[in-house]
Amino acid sequence: MASKLTTGLVGLAVEAHPHKKLKILYETILKVVSTMPASAGYRKFTEENIKQRLSAVNTTPDLNQLEEKLRPGQLEEAIELAKSELSLAKNLVRWKPWEPLISEPPEGQWEWP
C-alpha cells in the first residue's frame, strides 16, 4: 500500500504498488530490447540501465531507499519514465534504425558547416 498521500505533482497520482509496477515494466522493456540485434547501441545501453534498475527494485523493499537508488524523482516518475522507455523501445523495433539505409543520402547531408 502507498506510504504517502500525494506526489505533490499535478496529474501524477500515488502508485499503490510501485515495486510490482516497475518490475513488470522493466522486465517488459528487457524482452522488447532483446529482439534487437545485440550490436545495436540502444539495446546495449538500455539493457545495462534497466538491469541495474530492476536489480534495485528486486533488492530494495523500502520505498524511500528505492527512490534514492532510482534517482531522480519519485517512484511514480520512474514508472512514467519506464512507460515512455517501453514505448520508445517498441517503436525502435518497428523502425529498425540499425538496418542499412534504403538508398544513399544526398552528398553533404551529414556534414555540418
Coordinates of all heavy atoms in Angstrom, one line a residue, residues 1 4 8 21 31 33 36 39-40 46 54 62 107-108 110 113:
M1 N 0.8 -1.2 0.0 CA 0.0 0.0 0.0 C 0.9 1.2 0.0 O 2.0 1.2 0.5 CB -0.9 0.0 1.2 CG -1.9 1.1 1.2 SD -3.4 0.6 1.9 CE -4.0 2.2 2.4
K4 N 2.5 7.4 1.1 CA 2.3 8.8 1.1 C 0.9 9.1 0.5 O 0.3 8.3 -0.2 CB 3.4 9.5 0.2 CG 3.6 9.0 -1.2 CD 4.8 9.6 -1.8 CE 5.0 8.9 -3.2 NZ 6.3 9.4 -3.8
G8 N 2.7 15.3 -4.9 CA 2.9 16.8 -5.0 C 3.1 17.3 -6.4 O 3.4 18.4 -6.6
K21 N 4.7 -2.7 -10.2 CA 4.6 -2.0 -11.5 C 5.9 -1.8 -12.2 O 6.1 -2.0 -13.4 CB 3.9 -0.6 -11.2 CG 3.6 0.1 -12.4 CD 2.2 -0.2 -12.8 CE 1.5 0.9 -13.5 NZ 0.1 0.9 -13.4
K31 N 12.5 -7.6 -22.5 CA 12.0 -8.5 -23.5 C 12.0 -7.8 -24.9 O 12.4 -8.4 -25.9 CB 10.6 -9.0 -23.2 CG 10.6 -10.1 -22.1 CD 9.1 -10.5 -21.8 CE 9.1 -11.4 -20.6 NZ 7.7 -11.7 -20.2
V33 N 13.7 -5.1 -26.0 CA 15.1 -4.8 -26.5 C 15.8 -6.1 -26.9 O 16.7 -6.1 -27.7 CB 15.9 -3.9 -25.6 CG1 15.2 -2.6 -25.4 CG2 16.2 -4.6 -24.3
M36 N 16.1 -6.9 -30.5 CA 17.0 -6.0 -31.3 C 18.3 -6.8 -31.5 O 18.7 -7.6 -30.7 CB 17.3 -4.7 -30.7 CG 16.0 -3.8 -30.5 SD 16.4 -2.3 -29.6 CE 14.8 -1.6 -29.4
S39 N 24.2 -6.0 -31.4 CA 25.2 -4.9 -31.7 C 24.5 -3.5 -31.6 O 25.2 -2.5 -31.7 CB 25.8 -5.1 -33.1 OG 24.8 -5.1 -34.1
A40 N 23.2 -3.4 -31.5 CA 22.5 -2.1 -31.5 C 22.9 -1.3 -30.3 O 22.8 -1.8 -29.2 CB 21.0 -2.3 -31.6
T46 N 20.4 0.4 -23.0 CA 19.1 0.2 -22.3 C 19.1 -1.1 -21.5 O 18.7 -1.0 -20.3 CB 18.0 0.2 -23.3 OG1 18.0 1.4 -24.1 CG2 16.6 0.0 -22.6
L54 N 16.2 -2.8 -12.4 CA 15.4 -3.9 -11.9 C 16.1 -4.6 -10.7 O 15.4 -5.0 -9.8 CB 15.3 -4.9 -13.1 CG 14.5 -6.2 -12.8 CD1 13.1 -5.9 -12.4 CD2 14.5 -7.1 -14.1
D62 N 12.4 -1.1 0.9 CA 11.9 0.2 1.4 C 11.7 1.2 0.3 O 12.6 1.4 -0.6 CB 13.0 0.7 2.4 CG 12.6 2.0 3.0 OD1 11.7 2.0 3.9 OD2 13.2 3.1 2.5
E107 N 24.7 13.8 -51.2 CA 26.0 14.3 -50.8 C 25.9 15.5 -49.9 O 25.2 16.4 -50.2 CB 26.8 14.6 -52.1 CG 28.3 14.9 -51.8 CD 29.1 15.0 -53.1 OE1 28.8 14.4 -54.0 OE2 30.0 15.9 -53.0
G108 N 26.7 15.5 -48.8 CA 26.7 16.6 -47.9 C 25.6 16.6 -46.9 O 25.6 17.5 -46.0
W110 N 25.1 14.8 -44.3 CA 25.6 14.6 -42.9 C 26.7 15.5 -42.5 O 27.3 15.3 -41.5 CB 26.0 13.1 -42.7 CG 24.9 12.2 -43.1 CD1 24.9 11.2 -44.1 CD2 23.6 12.0 -42.5 NE1 23.7 10.6 -44.2 CE2 22.9 11.0 -43.2 CE3 22.9 12.7 -41.4 CZ2 21.6 10.6 -42.9 CZ3 21.6 12.3 -41.1 CH2 21.0 11.3 -41.8
P113 N 28.4 22.7 -41.3 CA 29.4 23.7 -41.8 C 30.5 24.0 -40.8 O 30.9 23.7 -39.9 CB 28.5 25.0 -41.9 CG 27.1 24.6 -41.7 CD 27.1 23.2 -41.2

